[in-house]
Structures are given as C-alpha cells and as structure tokens.
Amino acid sequence: MTMRAVVKGVGHYLPTRVVPNSEFEGKVETSDEWIRARTGIERRHFAADGETTSDLAAHAARAALVDAGLEPADLDAIIVATSTPDLTFPSVATMVQAKIGMTNGFAFDVQAVCAGFVFALANANALILSGQARRVLVIGAETFSRILDFEDRSTCVLFGDGAGALLLEAGEGQGTNADRGILATDLHSDGSYRDLLYVDGGVSTTGAAGHLRMQGNQIFRQAVEKLTETAHAALDKVALNGSDVDWIVPHQANIRIIEGTAKRMQVPMERVVVTVQDHGNTSAASIPLALSVGKARGQIKQGDLLVTEAIGGGLAWGAVVLRW
Ligand code: UT7
C-alpha cells in the first residue's frame, strides 16, 4: 500500500463585482479588442471595498468543506497560497481558520506568487505523505486589484480577484500511476529573474504595499518553455506523457500561453480547462478556481488524470500531476 493525498472536495468564490474590459477604455489607452486578442480576457471580478483576501478564502473553504461533506474540525491543516494577504501578519490561513471556526490543527501561508497553489499542493502532499496531517485544505486566494497601478495599461487590465480551495485527504493506493491522488510534483525557482515581475513596495523597503510591475513580454518568452518542461518533468516521474492527460488545468494568465503550452505538450485544447476569459489572472487562485469551475462544468470527473502548471514572480514555476 502507498499513501496518497486524494481529492475529497473542491470549491471557489468570486467577488460579486464583475469588471468587463470596457471599464478600462477611457481610463487608460486600451480597448476591449486589444485585451481579448492579446490575452483572451473578457472580464474579471474585483473585491468590494472592505472585502479581504481572507474573506474570499473563507468562502472558498466553506464551499470545499460542503463538497467534501466535512466539518472544519475534521481538518488537520490549512495552507493558503497568496501574495496579497490582509495584513503583513498573521497569516491569511489563520484568519481563515478563525472565520470558519476551526480551533484545532495548524495553518500557514505559502508565497510563490502565481505558482503559489502548485507550491502549496506540493507542501500539502508532503505533510500527508509524512503522516503530519490526514486532511489538508489547500487554498489559493488573491486580491490583486489592491496592488494594481490603474494608470499602467500594460498590467491593470490583466488581473482579477478570487479564491479556490481543494481538500486533500490521506488515502491508500497501489503505488501505481493508476492511483487516485497526487502522483508527482515538480518545483523550480530562479531569483535572477526578480526584475521581470515584482511589487515595488514592502515592509522592509518602502513600508507600503506598492504596485505590481511586470515586463510581460519577457515573462511570456519564459512561460511556454518552462511550463512545458515542468509539466513533462512531473509526468516523467510517473512514466506518463501528454497523451495520458485528460485535463491540463493551467495557470490562467494568457490564452496564448495556455495554447502554446498545450500545443508543445501535444494536448488538444478540448482537454484544457480555460477560465481566463471570465477571471483574468488571479495569480495563486487561478488553478483552484479552474479546478472548481472545471468540475462544476462537468469537465473534470473522478479518475481523470490532471496536470496543473504555473509560473510567476521569482521566477517560480512548477507542476503537479494528480488523478482526480
Ligand atoms: O501570471 C504571472 C505571469 N505573467 C504572465 O504570464 C504574463 C505574461 N505576459 C503576457 O501575457 C503578455 O506579454 C501581455 C499580455 C502582458 C502583453 O502582450 P504582448 O503581446 O507581449 O505585448 P507587448 O508587451 O509586446 O506590447 C505590445 C504593444 C506595446 O506597444 P508598442 O510598444 O508596440 O507600441 C504595448 O505598449 O501593446 C501595447 N500595450 C497595450 N495596448 C493596448 C500594452 N498593454 C496594452 C493595453 N492596451 N492594455
């Protein structure tokens, strides 16, 4: 018998305010046509005044618990992937703990920007496989609208707010790639790319939150290559390849990156979960949002082989192979 971290439930939450591309026209020199053609984005959600990352995360957490048929007290741990916490500390994860009424176990945040959910999944998997936790709620939650420079057309049209949550539970498998649960993880980072994507503020520099700065076309150049490599590396670890994949569930930054990666992996777009048109880039929330929406649409079914892959600030990137 082999221990596996198996999906028990999934859920998501999007703030009620929907912002169509047309809202940016007239504020910056852009157009709905440019945004759609270059990114695939049609709309995104922005959090209301006073609505925080932990609020979005707690809604997603409750939805995943309902989906799993479990109570907060059944959890051993919560990991939140976020780069837009409510406060410098305590962690968003402990705030979620309090909001859902969980006083047992432990909770902490992971910060790997857009790759955050993949890093958090790998951490949750390690906690389960090492016997430190049996049930882990892994959340990606962001309010990127709070760090956007609304005078910078090259970034403000790209991002949105939201949260998604995946509940993992220890289960027993046969030790083969036919098992349900997380089968392989592959993580990377290279800090020499720092200046391609960063926020120009922080606690120990300006003392203020700052604004997102990105050399988008430079990231674009890195993205397709690194995402394809990491997805293949994760699949290789369990002797699988693109033709075995039922669904790529990619980080949702740009439809052209998603299409380029799928093409290199020789996976047709019919087997890719795409939500970028409705959510924009929600950083660490984008993959769990896509998992939850993909299941709700009837795309992702039990037994399907999934590959998630993401890249973001750091640079940090990685992939997780799991059977739903
Ligand atoms: O999730 C974290 C990782 N981030 C990403 O994955 C983002 C990766 N990058 C991208 O998605 C794309 O690079 C962008 C969508 C950010 C930009 O698309 P692009 O095709 O790489 O365009 P570009 O940056 O090369 O800019 C082309 C032109 C420029 O004008 P000039 O210099 O050719 O006159 C930009 O100034 O498009 C201009 N431009 C815009 N025009 C209208 C940039 N933003 C806008 C805009 N509206 N919002």
Side-chain angles (χ1 to χ4, degrees), residues 105-241:
F106 59 95
F108 61 96
D109 289 358
V110 162
Q111 207 265 52
V113 202
C114 297
F117 190 75
V118 167
F119 278 61
L121 270 187
N123 272 278
N125 187 45
L127 287 173
I128 289 173
L129 297 195
S130 63
Q132 293 177 81
R134 274 190 58 77
R135 292 200 189 102
V136 184
L137 187 58
V138 191
I139 304 171
E142 303 280 14
T143 48
F144 260 51
S145 63
R146 302 280 153 75
I147 53 166
L148 295 177
D149 174 353
F150 285 98
E151 290 179 1
D152 176 9
R153 70 173 182 174
S154 70
T155 54
C156 72
V157 302
L158 303 175
F159 295 89
D161 303 338
L166 194 69
L167 205 161
L168 295 172
E169 182 179 70
E172 281 181 354
Q174 302 298 317
T176 72
N177 61 22
D179 287 348
R180 286 190 65 210
I182 293 180
L183 299 176
T185 63
D186 187 63
L187 303 180
H188 301 268
S189 60
D190 182 346
S192 66
Y193 291 108
R194 192 199 89 143
D195 293 344
L196 295 190
L197 177 50
Y198 64 99
V199 170
D200 63 3
V203 180
S204 75
T205 50
T206 61
H211 291 118
L212 183 147
R213 306 293 172 204
M214 179 167 74
Q215 295 176 43
N217 49 12
Q218 300 295 323
I219 301 261
F220 195 106
R221 235 167 265 169
Q222 299 292 331
V224 174
E225 193 181 312
K226 286 188 162 45
L227 291 172
T228 308
E229 273 173 19
T230 188
H232 276 149
L235 286 164
D236 275 352
K237 289 178 187 181
V238 280
L240 294 168
N241 59 51

Side-chain angles (χ1 to χ4, degrees), residues 29-31 34-35 38-39 114 153-154 157-159 197 214 216-217 219-220 251 253-254 256-257 281 311-312:
E29 208 181 321
T30 192
S31 64
W34 189 95
I35 301 168
R38 294 294 182 112
T39 72
C114 297
R153 70 173 182 174
S154 70
V157 302
L158 303 175
F159 295 89
L197 177 50
M214 179 167 74
N217 49 12
I219 301 261
F220 195 106
H251 171 47
N254 187 315
R256 293 185 294 140
I257 294 175
N281 182 346
I311 187 165

